[in-house]
Amino acid sequence: MSELQPHTSNKRLVVLGGGISGLGAAVLGAQKGYDVFLSDAGVLGPAFAKALQEQAISYESGGHTIENILNASLVVKSPGIPDNAALIMAIKTKGIEVVSEIEFAASFTDENIIAITGSNGKTTVTSLIDHILKVAQLDHTTGGNIGKSFAQQVAEGRSANRLLEVSSFQLDGISTFKPHIAIILNITPDHLDRYDYKFENYVASKMRITMNQDENDYLIYNADDQAITDSIKQLDIKAQLIPFSMERKLETGAFLHNHQIHIHTHNSTFTMPIEQLSIKGKHNTANAMAASTASKLLQIRKETIRQSLTSFEGVEHRLEKVLKINKVQYINDSKATNVNATYYALDSMEQPTVWIVGGVDKGNDYSQLYSLVNRNVKAIVCLGEDNSKIVEAFGNCVEHMVETTNMEDAVRVAYKLAQAGDTVLLSPACASFDLFENYEDRGRQFKHAVRGL
């Protein structure tokens, strides 16, 4: 995005959305000499408003003033605003470039970027690599779709390595964003409401992570995921390909053999028994492969990687053990906002399970869960404003199904249905914003309700 440089005060930057990414873009833009204006259709949080005021950045909230937006030379939009929104269409009609916050931030740095995407597991893998880098004492920042925004971190100063979790929505708004190491964990149907209910559109969005990579860069990818492997065959990818597989041996890359992880890169081999991994389950073995492969490419010592994989404590809201009450284990998997994430959760259940499920359906196909529900689930508690699709999908699979519309009721019902030795699992398979602000809010309310039993 060379047109962003040189940075002069006569360039007007409009930031749409006043969340974490919007604030970061506004602060970085002001630092780089832009005339910045932030516009948020909702109510701007007090902390965000105060931060903008301290930086003397102009802003509005509660609506968009169109004349103050269409005079921009560049627009950075929140990932939550779809490309087909009327305001975005009007901006593009005026010939104004619209980019994502990660694209904007990347234009101001030549630092080493490690970017992770995927329908599921990206927060776990990002957090695991962050843990490895901390143990290795490598200079780095971690953010993007979690924690601080990339733009905020760039504004705060230089770092040798930028570790980023990136979503499909963020990747939709890039043109030159170029990670040195890109990781694609998996691509399964998610956010289809944003992609015209076409899976191929969602796949194309995820694959954008590698579009600007060259022969000096690396693409770590799941060789067991057909959507990814089909796309790699079709695209002209210039990065060095490093696959990982749970199903077969590989000459180069990571694979599982005799209950051990094997990683072959650059004539070097790393091995580790999976029973030593601190995070359990097949999906987490794959996550560990991806994180370890990236760490090897960063030339981190093998022993450091092993030590990190045994000491990593996991991610909040992802198969998080909350409490055991009357010999019933309560597990918070609020981050499972799609069917595939819930598949992993149900597949890892070893005890009869009372499953709390529901939220905003994103075009979900629940058929892949039938066998797991029949095998592992004894009762279902629906939690949402509209549970009709879940009732239709699983009504004949379990003896007990109860509909609820708030977390306290859902937890109380699950408490009554569970017996000693059972598990109560919150794994929604849906977005959270019918009853909750986000998945973190949903997870916090679950933990609060459990602790109040």
Side-chain angles (χ1 to χ4, degrees), residues 100-122:
S100 67
E101 171 261 329
I102 61 169
E103 171 73 10
F104 181 65
S107 67
F108 297 104
T109 177
D110 57 0
E111 296 153 327
N112 195 42
I113 295 175
I114 305 104
I116 300 99
T117 197
S119 301
N120 299 295
K122 54 185 178 291

Side-chain angles (χ1 to χ4, degrees), residues 35 44 49 92 119 124 140-141 239 324 349 421 437:
D35 172 23
L44 202 61
K92 290 183 176 179
S119 301
T124 297
H140 75 288
T141 61
K324 185 172 278 191
M349 293 298 103
E437 292 181 11

Side-chain angles (χ1 to χ4, degrees), residues 100-336:
S100 67
E101 171 261 329
I102 61 169
E103 171 73 10
F104 181 65
S107 67
F108 297 104
T109 177
D110 57 0
E111 296 153 327
N112 195 42
I113 295 175
I114 305 104
I116 300 99
T117 197
S119 301
N120 299 295
K122 54 185 178 291
T123 299
T124 297
V125 172
T126 304
S127 301
L128 179 50
I129 297 174
D130 171 69
H131 179 65
I132 295 169
L133 295 181
K134 285 177 179 175
V135 173
Q137 298 184 332
L138 256 65
D139 180 35
H140 75 288
T141 61
T142 300
N145 201 40
I146 58 172
K148 287 185 179 180
S149 71
F150 185 24
Q152 182 71 45
Q153 292 176 328
V154 171
E156 290 175 354
R158 291 189 60 82
S159 180
N161 299 284
R162 303 291 191 177
L163 177 61
L164 302 174
E165 175 187 320
V166 295
S167 69
S168 59
F169 297 169
Q170 291 169 312
L171 291 169
D172 286 335
I174 67 169
S175 57
T176 63
F177 176 76
K178 179 180 179 291
H180 176 52
I181 299 174
I183 303 175
I184 308 179
L185 298 170
N186 46 62
I187 308 179
T188 58
D190 195 12
H191 303 298
L192 296 188
D193 51 338
R194 180 77 171 251
Y195 293 98
D196 298 325
Y197 294 94
K198 294 179 180 177
F199 182 51
E200 60 269 27
N201 292 354
Y202 175 59
V203 173
S205 177
K206 287 291 190 188
M207 296 304 297
R208 288 174 64 84
I209 196 171
T210 188
M211 71 181 194
N212 296 311
Q213 290 187 295
D214 60 34
E215 295 82 357
N216 297 313
D217 302 317
Y218 299 95
L219 174 62
I220 300 169
Y221 70 95
N222 186 345
D224 302 330
D225 190 303
Q226 187 171 350
I228 297 173
T229 55
D230 286 351
S231 295
I232 286 174
K233 291 174 185 175
Q234 295 165 9
L235 298 171
D236 180 22
I237 295 175
K238 295 184 171 57
Q240 298 177 52
L241 299 176
I242 312 289
F244 64 90
S245 174
M246 294 283 290
E247 299 175 1
R248 63 184 187 276
K249 290 184 180 181
L250 301 170
E251 289 187 12
T252 298
F255 61 91
L256 191 63
H257 181 62
N258 288 336
H259 303 289
Q260 287 202 90
I261 292 173
H262 297 254
I263 304 176
H264 299 318
T265 57
H266 298 157
N267 298 317
S268 172
T269 299
F270 170 87
T271 60
M272 181 173 177
I274 60 172
E275 72 243 16
Q276 293 180 7
L277 297 174
S278 62
I279 48 176
K280 306 301 181 182
K282 289 186 285 188
H283 62 295
N284 277 326
T285 299
N287 290 338
M289 285 183 186
S292 302
T293 303
S295 302
K296 279 197 84 247
L297 294 175
L298 291 170
Q299 299 183 339
I300 294 174
R301 293 176 61 246
K302 297 175 186 179
E303 190 51 44
T304 301
I305 297 173
R306 289 193 189 94
Q307 178 187 343
S308 303
L309 294 177
T310 59
S311 60
F312 179 62
E313 295 182 352
V315 176
E316 188 180 14
H317 307 301
R318 191 72 181 97
L319 289 174
E320 176 190 11
K321 291 183 178 179
V322 179
L323 279 178
K324 185 172 278 191
I325 302 173
N326 296 335
K327 298 182 180 179
V328 174
Q329 179 67 64
Y330 290 78
I331 296 178
N332 169 30
D333 195 43
S334 179
K335 202 173 189 306

Side-chain angles (χ1 to χ4, degrees), residues 59-125:
Y59 68 93
E60 65 178 354
S61 64
H64 298 301
T65 305
I66 194 72
E67 57 266 27
N68 288 338
I69 294 172
L70 294 184
N71 61 0
S73 54
L74 178 71
V75 171
V76 175
K77 78 172 182 67
S78 163
I81 304 173
D83 288 336
N84 60 2
L87 178 59
I88 302 302
M89 300 293 283
I91 293 168
K92 290 183 176 179
T93 298
K94 287 276 290 184
I96 302 168
E97 186 179 11
V98 180
V99 300
S100 67
E101 171 261 329
I102 61 169
E103 171 73 10
F104 181 65
S107 67
F108 297 104
T109 177
D110 57 0
E111 296 153 327
N112 195 42
I113 295 175
I114 305 104
I116 300 99
T117 197
S119 301
N120 299 295
K122 54 185 178 291
T123 299
T124 297
V125 172

